[in-house]
Amino acid sequence: MSHAPAVGLENRCSADAPSQADFLPWATLRQQQDARLRNTVRLAHDKVPLYRQRFEAAGLTPDDVRGVDDLAKLPFVTKEDLRDAYPLGLFAVPMEEVIRLHASSGTTGRQVLVPYTRADLAVWTEAMVRTLTLAGVGRGDVVQNAYGYGLFTGGLGVHYAAEALGATVIPMSGGNAARQIAVMRDFGATVICCTPSFFLQLIDRAEELGIALRGLRLRVGVFGAEPWSEEMRQRIQQAAGIEAFDIYGLAEIVGPGVAAECPVHCGLHVLEDLFFPEIIDPASGQPLGEGEVGELVLTTLAKQAMPMLRYRTGDITALESGECPCGRTLRRMRRVSHRCDDVFIVRGVNVFPSQIESALLAVKGTLPHYQIVLTEEDGVERAEVQVEVTPEMFSDRIGVLEELQDTLSRKVAQAVGVHLDVRLVEPRSLARSEGKARRVLDQRPSSG
């Protein structure tokens, strides 16, 4: 049986000895990428009917793809393709070679089933070991893992990598903020791993319980699974006294571990020896150059059970090359600002929640909790931004609140290009998230 080569933990790393794969010279990396891509293309063509049909429709054979410079010849794969193939249509190996199954959340449609061979799990663990190493996690750390366990990839992805690094793992999963705080204090957690929106809930709960997070051993937060802004990072670091790291991944590719920040915080290093990135124009599908903002497309270079060729992620970012001050030669992707499908339209203007978040959190007196409510009255669509303000601000005189509301309205309008209604609400009055935050509440009749 022809499989893509197993890429295991031959470059096992630690916080003191990062993986050699992060520092490869460009020519060496490209040679490795080309060889792995050829194997992946052959596997996908020979074992997955969808790819074989797409190759034939494009008049291509696996021999036409000699390296990553030929990727643009291949058609894209979309989430709809994965959903249409549910459950087993994209498997490249028989079920007896699959030792674990995960799935995407399925919140926007039919879920995507993701299989792993033993070699795939070794690749995933390597990727997550490198991810945690970038954040300085290693032996001696106590890692409180508040990502969800189960079909969601976050929990187990972090779990096995932290153990491989020699850290102590607390397998908390998500939810139960009070219990999380108690365990964090009693077990001496030094690292917290969860969505940024859930960590905001932990900050609130700790304050209610009279526990100062800054007084605990916690020093690092590894946050992902949803877009979050630089302003949100600053709020988290200030409130908890930790260093916050952004990570990126998706179940369709491997789970978390596709890209991660180093301590320089100037973009997320893409583990491009395992996952090759491209940026395309979301409308035309044409490749974009370095530094140009567009949709991220990923190709797996070492997966056996479900290889992905040119998968359109829907995430908007840009790629930058050049050696990072940390010494890594891997290209960096900018923080994901939004998804293609995050957009909502107000009076003909495309608006993204991330734009609103940055504008709100840049103003003193606000809390990092907000929601955007879309309604429709007499055929006219409206968007109201509800944002919590600090207790001190809310208890102040009316004139101060009105001034803050005017400032926020002006900042939001400058950020998005259209006036939106801004409503100040009391602290802890908006719903909290125990997983991915739901920033947009669509109450328009057409949304149902």
Side-chain angles (χ1 to χ4, degrees):
M1 181 170 293
S2 174
H3 284 171
V7 182
L9 294 175
E10 67 271 20
N11 292 317
R12 184 184 294 272
C13 55
S14 68
D16 296 326
S19 170
Q20 295 177 357
D22 292 355
F23 302 90
L24 292 175
W26 181 88
T28 303
L29 174 61
R30 179 51 55 91
Q31 186 178 27
Q32 187 179 83
Q33 290 169 332
D34 289 345
R36 289 179 176 177
L37 177 63
R38 289 193 295 269
N39 282 286
T40 299
V41 166
R42 175 64 66 180
L43 171 66
H45 175 272
D46 292 351
K47 300 299 180 180
V48 183
L50 173 69
Y51 286 118
R52 188 160 56 252
Q53 294 164 8
R54 297 278 175 89
F55 269 69
E56 291 172 356
L60 296 171
T61 71
D63 292 334
D64 293 318
V65 182
R66 297 178 296 276
V68 295
D69 288 339
D70 294 324
L71 266 176
K73 298 178 182 178
L74 301 180
F76 297 112
V77 174
T78 67
K79 196 152 195 170
E80 285 307 309
D81 292 325
L82 274 59
R83 288 170 176 158
D84 291 344
Y86 180 87
L88 310 179
L90 289 179
F91 283 30
V93 300
M95 184 61 81
E96 56 263 31
E97 294 187 33
V98 173
I99 66 169
R100 193 191 300 169
L101 293 171
H102 281 284
S104 65
S105 61
T107 53
T108 58
R110 181 185 293 174
Q111 64 183 354
V112 174
L113 191 61
V114 185
Y116 297 79
T117 65
R118 193 170 303 279
D120 289 339
L121 290 182
V123 169
W124 188 16
T125 299
E126 179 197 343
M128 280 305 299
V129 163
R130 291 161 66 181
T131 292
L132 295 180
T133 299
L134 279 158
V137 180
R139 184 179 297 275
D141 273 310
V142 179
V143 178
Q144 185 159 327
N145 187 10
Y147 283 115
Y149 283 68
L151 288 178
F152 176 63
T153 55
L156 288 176
V158 170
H159 185 112
Y160 285 108
E163 287 186 342
L165 279 169
T168 301
V169 180
I170 309 171
M172 284 295 293
S173 194
N176 199 339
R179 177 66 172 157
Q180 297 271 1
I181 297 297
V183 167
M184 192 181 300
R185 177 195 60 200
D186 297 345
F187 292 17
T190 59
V191 179
I192 180 73
C193 301
C194 61
T195 64
S197 55
F198 184 55
F199 190 71
L200 291 176
Q201 185 178 347
L202 298 186
I203 292 173
D204 285 350
R205 193 72 178 110
E207 184 178 338
E208 291 174 356
L209 295 169
I211 297 174
L213 292 182
R214 283 180 166 272
L216 304 184
R217 293 187 63 210
L218 200 65
R219 64 178 185 83
V220 167
V222 179
F223 303 122
E226 62 188 15
W228 54 302
S229 66
E230 182 60 30
E231 289 78 10
M232 185 73 77
R233 186 215 302 275
Q234 296 304 322
R235 291 293 184 96
I236 286 174
Q237 293 187 153
Q238 181 180 15
I242 65 174
E243 185 173 5
F245 289 83
D246 191 12
I247 66 171
Y248 174 81
L250 57 169
E252 301 92 318
I253 297 300
V254 72
V258 173
E261 283 185 315
C262 69
V264 179
H265 299 292
C266 61
L268 289 78
H269 291 280
V270 182
L271 305 190
E272 55 179 321
D273 56 311
L274 303 176
F275 318 104
F276 188 82
E278 303 173 76
I279 299 293
I280 64 167
D281 183 300
S284 69
Q286 292 301 307
L288 297 178
E290 180 176 343
E292 293 187 272
V293 176
E295 181 181 356
L296 178 66
V297 173
L298 290 169
T299 294
T300 62
L301 299 178
K303 280 189 69 175
Q304 294 182 346
M306 196 173 82
M308 285 283 103
L309 299 179
R310 302 199 82 198
Y311 178 69
R312 293 187 65 157
T313 67
D315 293 322
I316 302 300
T317 182
L319 291 174
E320 298 176 352
S321 59
E323 186 173 316
C324 178
C326 77
R328 288 174 173 83
T329 53
L330 299 168
R331 280 183 293 173
R332 287 156 287 158
M333 57 179 271
R334 294 180 194 167
R335 175 191 295 271
V336 171
S337 58
H338 59 271
R339 290 184 50 79
C340 293
D341 53 8
D342 276 345
V343 66
F344 60 91
I345 301 174
V346 179
R347 294 187 289 281
V349 177
N350 290 349
V351 179
F352 295 96
S354 57
Q355 297 172 300
I356 294 173
E357 178 178 300
S358 295
L360 294 176
L361 298 189
V363 178
K364 186 177 181 180
T366 61
L367 293 170
H369 303 287
Y370 67 95
Q371 189 163 61
I372 303 155
V373 181
L374 306 180
T375 57
E376 184 177 317
E377 297 179 10
D378 300 324
V380 178
E381 293 185 344
R382 295 184 55 197
E384 179 182 77
V385 181
Q386 301 172 357
V387 57
E388 293 184 10
V389 298
T390 62
E392 299 80 14
M393 183 64 69
F394 206 84
S395 62
D396 214 324
R397 60 186 187 277
I398 296 298
V400 174
L401 284 176
E402 290 178 344
E403 183 179 350
L404 176 60
Q405 186 173 32
D406 289 344
T407 299
L408 290 172
S409 296
R410 186 172 64 256
K411 293 290 187 181
V412 169
Q414 291 172 351
V416 304
V418 64
H419 175 77
L420 304 181
D421 296 326
V422 174
R423 181 158 69 93
L424 309 183
V425 299
E426 295 184 68
R428 300 186 176 89
S429 61
L430 297 178
R432 298 298 193 254
S433 169
E434 294 188 349
K436 296 185 180 182
R438 186 183 178 193
R439 297 299 189 192
V440 180
L441 181 60
D442 196 342
Q443 297 180 338
R444 295 172 296 183
S446 58
S447 69

